């Protein structure tokens, strides 16, 4: 494998007004976009990539908030395509913190010489298919135009931050921070009155980190999340050596698993063992930490009664840790199944509420009315704050693709196509949008499996499709309506069994006002997803339609 090689298409130094031609355009510089740049360069394609941030890293470039940390083991949350990188990079912790993740991303970018292919601080403002020339025409906020036969949207499921729909956000005179747009310099919380709105994975990480630093911390909680002990560890040299010797096997396990990781999963049904055995298994998983609880039984996402037993087990743990009974009760999630919201991992979240300076404001019994110049006003009164942190999440899955005009055949936009919810083939391609590809799209496993395994898979799939076109002298590929309908029916039929539908989350579009709601991700697991996606290349892309090159038609 060639690692750092001479860039095939250096990015221009100053904006150019005439359209610039490439073979492929890539939008996004996260894990998916970085691998896409590498893969397509190795295929010999002239490429140009765009990234709104100032550097590569995607979500990890933006999410610099205190306590930011990946909640999958670093060993799994890393690229698998390069044995050289696997051997040269050493993770220090079982669950890497954001600075280490950025160092890894920087290491990969340097090792593969990826940065020259990117235009940073550049937002794509539109992408349109020019039918007569069989080209994607992409415009940027620098006033430039690029054209290429292929376009890859590596825009990610979590790239459009969501502000809360609370009146007065802009009025606040203190320091307003969003977790997903965190400043690059450290924020000093010493002696400050700090508020956090949001108690998803992000809010939990912020609270446990900022609580001990702040003068006073007020946590505005609407829906409590279930969180379990991460039990993070420093990795020993012996463990790292063993992992490095066994990477090939570890990757194979991940690729053949439901979640795209090496975490063990059980085939045991909850009620197939005695209550006492269940308790022992759950206690073991709790002690083991990470997402072990989710792997304890096979039916936790489809059997509501089994799920409730596990939920009650975790509620019991909250009660054991949090000293104030009223706070403990408010922190216990109720009314939705455990794991139907993203399960969180913490290091000291519940313990943080035992600190005298940390206060939980239960926004269910005491709703937020508005944000004022001085702080947050709930029904019971105003809390004055120096700093307000919004950990209010994202317009997930579809937000990025709908944030700008993406126009396919006959002037139809993605926004129009998705007005009742996202539809695509495998989350990879869209009927009506020839040669437009997505990575980690909204109808694949996306948020439900390891995003790096999905990104690699998706880029490889796109590479195979382009190779097929080139081998057969074809200009365009696009799924048929029937192929898309068939895929969406598979997605729908599996999803309807899932308990994920029972919680109001970004997974089902419930966190954004007026967004179509429903579970549109593929819930059948990463292995099954790979199997479905492998069918087209094995059967000659029977369910896709193609166009020859225009010159071939004219001749
Ligand atoms: P999430 O999981 O979407 O959490 C957002 C949180 O913000 C959640 O607790 C929301 O409560 C809360 N929120 C949003 N708007 C409001 C208003 N208006 N009032 C009170 N509380 C509000 O985003 P995260 O960034 O934590 O995590 C995203 C993903 O990153 C996560 O799933 C992992 O994959 C990593 P609500 O639930 O709406 O009651």
């Amino acid at each position: 494998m060639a690692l750092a090689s001479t860039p095939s298409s250096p990015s221009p130094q100053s904006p150019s007004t005439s359209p610039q031609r490439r073979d492929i355009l890539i939008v996004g510089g996260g894990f998916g976009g970085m691998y896409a740049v590498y893969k397509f360069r190795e295929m010999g394609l002239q490429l140009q990539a765009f990234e709104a941030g100032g550097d590569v890293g995607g979500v990890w470039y933006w999410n610099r908030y205190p306590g930011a940390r990946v909640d999958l083991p670093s060993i799994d949350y890393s690229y698998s395509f390069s044995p050289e990188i696997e051997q040269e990079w050493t993770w220090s912790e079982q669950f890497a913190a954001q600075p280490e993740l950025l160092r890894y991303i920087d290491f990969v970018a340097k090792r593969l010489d990826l940065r020259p292919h990117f235009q940073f601080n550049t937002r794509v403002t539109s992408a349109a298919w020019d039918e007569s020339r069989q080209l994607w025409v992409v415009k940027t906020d620098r006033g430039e135009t690029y054209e290429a036969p292929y376009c890859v949207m590596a825009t990610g499921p979590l790239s459009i931050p969501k502000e809360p729909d609370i009146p007065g956000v802009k009025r606040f005179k203190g320091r307003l921070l969003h977790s997903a747009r965190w400043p690059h310099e450290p924020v000093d919380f010493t002696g400050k009155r700090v508020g956090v709105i949001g108690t998803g994975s992000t809010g939990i990480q912020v609270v446990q980190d900022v609580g001990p630093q702040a003068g006073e911390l007020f946590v505005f909680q609407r829906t409590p999340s279930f969180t379990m002990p991460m039990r993070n560890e420093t990795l020993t040299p012996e463990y790292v050596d063993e992992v490095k010797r066994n990477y090939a096997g570890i990757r194979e396990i991940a690729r053949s698993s439901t979640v795209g990781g090496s975490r063990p999963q059980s085939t045991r049904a909850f009620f197939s063992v005695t209550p006492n055995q269940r308790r022992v298994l759950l206690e073991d998983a709790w002690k083991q930490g990470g997402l072990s609880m989710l792997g304890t039984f096979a039916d936790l996402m489809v059997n509501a009664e089994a799920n409730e037993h596990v939920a009650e087990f975790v509620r019991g743990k909250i009660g054991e840790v949090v000293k104030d009974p009223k706070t403990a009760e408010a922190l216990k999630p109720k009314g939705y199944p455990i794991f139907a919201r993203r399960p969180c991992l913490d290091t000291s979240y519940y313990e943080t509420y035992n600190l005298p300076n940390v206060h939980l404001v239960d926004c269910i019994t005491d709703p937020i009315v508005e944000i004022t110049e001085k702080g947050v006003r709930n029904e019971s009164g105003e809390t004055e704050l120096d700093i307000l942190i919004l950990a209010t999440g994202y317009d997930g899955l579809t937000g990025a693709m709908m944030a700008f005009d993406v126009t396919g055949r006959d002037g139809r936009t993605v926004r129009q196509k998705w007005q009742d919810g996202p539809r695509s083939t495998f989350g990879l391609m869209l009927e009506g949008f020839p040669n437009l590809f997505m990575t980690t799209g909204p109808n694949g496993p996306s948020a439900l499996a390891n995003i790096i395994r999905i990104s690699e898979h998706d880029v490889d799939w796109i590479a195979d499709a382009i190779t097929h076109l080139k081998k057969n002298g074809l200009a365009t590929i696009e799924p048929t309506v029937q192929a898309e309908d068939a895929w969406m029916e598979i997605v729908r039929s599996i999803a309807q069994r899932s308990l994920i539908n029972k919680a109001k989350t970004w997974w089902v579009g419930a966190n954004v006002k007026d967004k179509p709601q429903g579970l549109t991700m593929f819930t059948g697991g990463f292995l099954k997803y790979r199997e479905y996606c492998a069918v087209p290349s094995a059967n000659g892309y029977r369910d896709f339609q193609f166009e020859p090159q225009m010159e071939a038609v004219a001749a």
Side-chain angles (χ1 to χ4, degrees):
M1 183 189 70
L3 289 171
S5 62
T6 315
S8 55
S9 46
S11 79
Q13 296 306 303
S14 56
S16 154
T17 43
S18 52
Q20 302 184 59
R21 182 69 187 260
R22 299 284 189 272
D23 295 326
I24 189 161
L25 303 174
I26 297 158
V27 186
F31 275 105
M34 286 172 68
Y35 178 50
V37 163
Y38 171 73
K39 179 88 183 182
F40 299 129
R41 183 183 71 195
E42 295 307 298
M43 284 171 70
L45 299 181
Q46 296 283 314
L47 54 92
Q48 182 63 53
F50 309 95
E51 166 55 51
D55 201 353
V56 285
V59 99
W60 299 109
Y61 171 84
W62 297 104
N63 280 254
R64 294 161 187 265
Y65 62 84
R69 188 179 287 283
V70 65
D71 57 8
L72 292 181
S74 326
I75 303 301
D76 286 330
Y77 196 79
S78 51
Y79 285 124
S80 72
F81 68 87
S82 162
E84 290 87 345
I85 287 174
E86 284 177 341
Q87 294 306 314
E88 291 166 18
W89 176 261
T90 297
W91 291 107
S92 74
E93 287 185 285
Q94 196 189 359
F95 297 92
Q98 181 268 352
E100 185 171 16
L101 289 158
L102 263 196
R103 284 199 296 279
Y104 172 74
I105 288 162
D106 174 63
F107 173 79
V108 173
K110 284 200 180 111
R111 185 71 172 83
L112 304 179
D113 200 16
L114 301 179
R115 285 193 175 93
H117 300 285
F118 279 94
Q119 266 196 27
F120 296 111
N121 301 306
T122 303
R123 205 165 264 287
V124 167
T125 51
S126 69
W129 177 243
D130 181 337
E131 194 132 11
S132 62
R133 295 190 301 144
Q134 295 174 318
L135 291 174
W136 277 98
V137 180
V138 164
K139 294 186 189 296
T140 74
D141 61 0
R142 292 171 170 229
E144 291 182 304
T145 303
Y146 284 83
E147 299 177 341
Y150 315 114
C151 182
V152 178
M153 297 294 183
T155 42
L158 292 174
S159 40
I160 305 290
K162 187 193 92 105
E163 278 199 0
D165 36 11
I166 304 171
V169 179
K170 303 261 174 325
R171 224 185 303 159
F172 182 58
K173 288 268 196 297
R175 189 157 188 205
L176 186 70
L177 297 165
H178 196 295
S179 54
R181 290 291 179 267
W182 201 264
H184 287 214
E185 63 285 354
V187 177
D188 186 5
F189 298 102
T190 322
K192 300 275 181 351
R193 290 173 65 87
V194 183
V196 179
I197 300 182
T199 49
S201 307
T202 303
I204 283 170
Q205 292 187 334
V206 169
V207 166
Q208 66 191 8
D209 207 272
V210 174
Q213 301 177 47
E216 301 280 323
L217 179 69
F218 298 87
V219 184
F220 296 89
Q221 170 191 272
R222 190 164 59 186
T223 310
S225 297
F226 286 97
T227 164
M228 284 151 288
M230 179 176 263
R231 309 219 189 275
N232 194 19
E233 285 176 354
T234 304
L235 300 180
T236 63
E238 296 72 31
Y239 176 81
V240 169
D241 285 350
E242 197 186 325
V243 166
K244 288 191 179 183
R245 273 197 305 277
N246 291 301
Y247 254 129
I250 292 169
R251 301 308 190 194
E252 199 37 51
I253 290 169
R255 279 191 278 266
S256 309
S257 76
T258 315
V259 291
S262 52
R263 167 164 59 81
Q265 286 158 277
S266 171
T267 50
R268 173 177 47 214
F270 187 81
F271 292 109
S272 68
V273 297
T274 66
N276 196 35
Q277 285 169 321
R278 283 179 226 147
R279 179 93 208 165
V280 169
L281 287 164
L282 289 174
E283 286 289 355
D284 275 357
W286 188 263
K287 278 199 202 93
Q288 213 175 321
L291 289 174
S292 316
M293 300 276 292
L294 189 50
T296 319
F297 300 97
D299 52 351
L300 297 181
M301 290 319 293
V302 289
N303 184 332
E305 208 185 326
N307 184 292
E308 178 53 24
H309 276 269
V310 179
E312 198 44 35
F313 173 86
V314 176
R315 289 185 203 114
K317 293 289 181 193
I318 299 170
E320 284 170 25
V321 177
V322 180
K323 292 196 181 120
D324 173 47
K326 199 166 154 236
T327 306
E329 211 42 41
L331 284 166
K332 290 179 187 171
K334 293 176 199 104
Y336 69 88
I338 187 169
F339 310 125
R341 290 164 80 83
R342 167 81 182 199
C344 308
L345 299 182
D346 71 279
T347 49
S348 54
Y349 181 64
Y350 295 121
E351 288 83 350
T352 306
Y353 290 95
N354 293 334
L355 298 175
N357 64 324
V358 176
H359 319 283
L360 183 70
V361 183
D362 181 354
C363 302
I364 295 182
T365 54
D366 186 12
I368 298 178
V369 179
E370 60 174 348
I371 293 173
T372 63
E373 283 189 9
K374 291 185 179 161
V376 175
R377 186 191 305 284
N378 290 68
E379 278 183 3
S380 67
E382 188 178 26
T383 307
E384 292 190 12
L385 301 167
D386 303 307
I387 301 174
L388 176 57
I389 301 172
L390 305 178
T392 43
Y394 300 83
D395 181 356
L397 300 175
T398 56
M401 283 289 285
M402 293 171 81
F404 61 107
D405 287 330
V406 181
T407 313
R409 279 189 205 287
D410 309 319
R412 187 165 59 136
T413 63
V414 169
R415 277 198 208 105
Q416 289 165 336
K417 184 177 168 87
W418 287 0
Q419 62 188 353
D420 298 323
R423 22 181 318 111
S424 66
T425 304
F426 305 139
L428 278 161
M429 290 205 79
L430 300 155
E431 172 276 320
F433 296 76
N435 290 4
L436 182 74
F437 303 95
M438 298 179 287
T439 62
T440 67
N443 310 118
S446 197
L448 305 177
N450 179 346
I451 201 104
I452 303 185
R453 289 293 76 72
I454 307 172
S455 299
E456 287 181 334
H457 165 273
D458 290 356
V459 170
D460 290 346
W461 191 96
I462 297 164
D464 286 348
I466 292 174
T467 304
H468 179 84
L469 292 183
K470 289 188 169 290
K471 234 173 40 202
N472 293 283
L474 296 163
T476 70
I477 179 170
E478 175 188 347
T480 60
V481 178
Q482 293 78 9
E484 199 150 287
D485 285 348
W487 177 247
M488 291 311 298
E489 181 50 28
I490 290 168
V491 168
R492 193 198 60 76
S493 65
I494 309 177
Q496 69 182 5
R497 296 201 298 265
S498 172
L499 294 175
I500 289 175
N501 291 301
K502 305 260 185 249
K504 292 191 172 147
T505 63
W506 68 270
W507 283 356
V508 296
N511 65 332
V512 175
K513 197 165 170 275
D514 299 332
K515 191 167 171 168
Q517 293 193 26
L519 177 53
T520 61
M521 286 184 283
F522 177 75
T523 45
F526 183 57
L527 174 62
K528 270 265 165 297
Y529 176 68
R530 285 179 52 226
E531 288 170 359
Y532 278 115
C533 291
V535 172
S537 68
N539 73 11
Y541 293 87
R542 215 166 47 201
D543 300 320
F544 286 73
Q545 48 199 336
F546 299 91
E547 281 175 349
Q549 304 282 354
M550 281 300 175
E551 311 89 77
V553 177

